[in-house]
Amino acid sequence: MTGKNQTIVLEFLLLGLPIKSELRDQFYALFLLMYVTTILGNLLIIVLIRLDSRLHTPMYLFLSNLSFSDLCFSSVTMPNLLQNMQSQVPSIPYAGCLTQMYVFLFFGDLESFLLVAMAYDRYMAICFPLHYTTIMSPKLCLSLVVPCWVLTAAHAMLHTLLMAKLSFCADNIIPHFFCDVSTVLKLACSDTRVNELVIFIMGGLILVIPFLLIVMSYARIVSSILRVPSARGIRKAFSTCGSHLSMVSLFYGTVISLCLCPSANNSAVKETVMAVMYTVVTPMLNPFIYSLRNRDMKGALGRVFCGKKIPFSV
């Protein structure tokens, strides 16, 4: 389709990762292993929480949603990346690119909101232990989870619709391994000021505000812990907060720097490497950091798959 010496783009070419050809097979095996680990780890968490009634608590409700989000978040990009690493012409249709963009934004934003819900849950559990069961009722948990799904769906749709209104002409090479919003935006041959403004504003609402809420929650938790005379309780609480904060820093640190820093300061290689951190590494590590180190999850693993009656620890 042509018009006034311009060719309408029907597909994009993904340059993928900056890997030397002689190392491509090794990296393919590595990413395949990481993806399989991500799928199995997060599926295991979901199955354990589903089958073990002792894990039907607010904390594990949020964890099951987070595991599902991580599983889908990684599946948006990894299968396409693995396929393109073996392809001579790594292309993606225009419609497929927009679809990938929507699903990527949806589950990326969902993880951001779920991390806030988890931080609130831990704040209530540590700072108000006597009232925790009453406060974190099933109704409140539902009212925390459902808006996460609704708001993320609306936000992802907003960016996708704005992107669909843009025109793409001759340049269709994406220096990335998936259809990232900011990267695709640079290829547009129409005015992108509205898109850039929405990215900046919504980046603050979807990423910065949740991150600040998490920091505030853990600051209150630390303040409450320091007033407790029990050294064992302090070590246990700090250990839990440290695991959460390490993953929060990994996820938010890369995403916020990419979304809020001017694009001129981020090379294509830097953006790609940082994207690998939050699309591949973080979803793979979350099951181990959040759950599999947990004695409750180990107990559930024994009860569900081995039939062992392992005492449940609060």
Side-chain angles (χ1 to χ4, degrees):
M1 295 184 294
T2 61
K4 291 190 178 181
N5 298 326
Q6 288 185 336
T7 302
I8 303 302
V9 170
L10 298 179
E11 66 177 10
F12 294 99
L13 298 179
L14 297 168
L15 291 185
L17 299 175
I19 301 173
K20 295 181 179 180
S21 57
E22 60 268 22
L23 299 176
R24 190 170 296 273
D25 290 339
Q26 291 89 327
F27 274 95
Y28 178 86
L30 174 62
F31 283 118
L32 179 60
L33 177 62
M34 295 175 71
Y35 180 57
V36 171
T37 302
T38 301
I39 296 298
L40 294 180
N42 285 289
L43 278 178
L44 178 61
I45 300 305
I46 295 172
V47 169
L48 288 178
I49 295 174
R50 175 70 176 175
L51 296 181
D52 195 322
S53 60
R54 297 186 183 185
L55 298 182
H56 294 174
T57 63
M59 174 183 175
Y60 294 106
L61 168 67
F62 299 135
L63 277 175
S64 63
N65 277 268
L66 181 68
S67 293
F68 180 76
S69 176
D70 282 334
L71 190 155
C72 296
F73 188 53
S74 181
S75 297
V76 174
T77 58
M78 285 302 293
N80 188 246
L81 170 63
L82 293 171
Q83 179 184 358
N84 289 341
M85 290 180 72
Q86 299 295 313
S87 174
Q88 297 297 325
V89 185
S91 63
I92 183 172
Y94 173 77
C97 186
L98 290 181
T99 302
Q100 185 185 60
M101 188 181 300
Y102 172 81
V103 180
F104 178 84
L105 288 171
F106 177 84
F107 286 107
D109 293 344
L110 181 61
E111 179 153 349
S112 177
F113 280 101
L114 288 174
L115 288 173
V116 177
M118 292 171 63
Y120 179 75
D121 174 74
R122 291 299 84 201
Y123 166 70
M124 288 298 174
I126 295 176
C127 297
F128 304 97
L130 300 179
H131 303 285
Y132 173 75
T133 305
T134 303
I135 296 174
M136 297 301 295
S137 62
K139 183 178 180 180
L140 178 61
C141 292
L142 193 63
S143 66
L144 289 174
V145 171
V146 172
C148 291
W149 288 81
V150 174
L151 291 175
T152 53
H155 176 249
M157 182 60 69
L158 172 62
H159 283 294
T160 306
L161 291 177
L162 287 175
M163 187 67 68
K165 294 178 64 176
L166 298 178
S167 299
F168 296 90
C169 307
D171 191 2
N172 69 334
I173 299 177
I174 300 177
H176 217 307
F177 63 92
F178 69 96
C179 291
D180 178 63
V181 175
S182 59
T183 306
V184 176
L185 200 61
K186 298 174 185 177
L187 303 180
C189 55
S190 54
D191 189 4
T192 62
R193 285 177 295 182
V194 174
N195 300 69
E196 293 170 355
L197 180 62
V198 171
I199 288 175
F200 181 79
I201 295 176
M202 297 306 296
L205 295 176
I206 299 296
L207 294 174
V208 177
I209 292 179
F211 177 72
L212 292 178
L213 290 175
I214 292 174
V215 172
M216 290 172 59
S217 296
Y218 282 116
R220 296 291 298 274
I221 289 173
V222 171
S223 176
S224 177
I225 291 172
L226 294 177
R227 294 196 297 266
V228 179
S230 171
R232 180 183 177 184
I234 292 176
R235 285 195 302 270
K236 181 178 179 181
F238 267 114
S239 176
T240 302
C241 294
S243 298
H244 284 77
L245 287 176
S246 64
M247 297 309 299
V248 167
S249 301
L250 182 62
F251 177 80
Y252 280 102
T254 53
V255 176
I256 289 177
S257 62
L258 279 175
C259 291
L260 298 186
C261 292
S263 58
N265 295 336
N266 292 321
S267 66
V269 174
K270 178 184 175 183
E271 290 184 0
T272 303
V273 172
M274 294 177 72
V276 168
M277 291 298 296
Y278 67 82
T279 60
V280 180
V281 178
T282 301
M284 181 187 68
L285 293 180
N286 276 352
F288 301 97
I289 298 297
Y290 283 110
S291 303
L292 297 182
R293 292 179 56 196
N294 187 308
R295 284 185 294 174
D296 299 344
M297 296 301 298
K298 291 179 181 178
L301 185 64
R303 289 189 294 270
V304 171
F305 293 103
C306 303
K308 297 179 181 179
K309 295 183 179 180
I310 301 176
F312 177 73
S313 59
V314 180

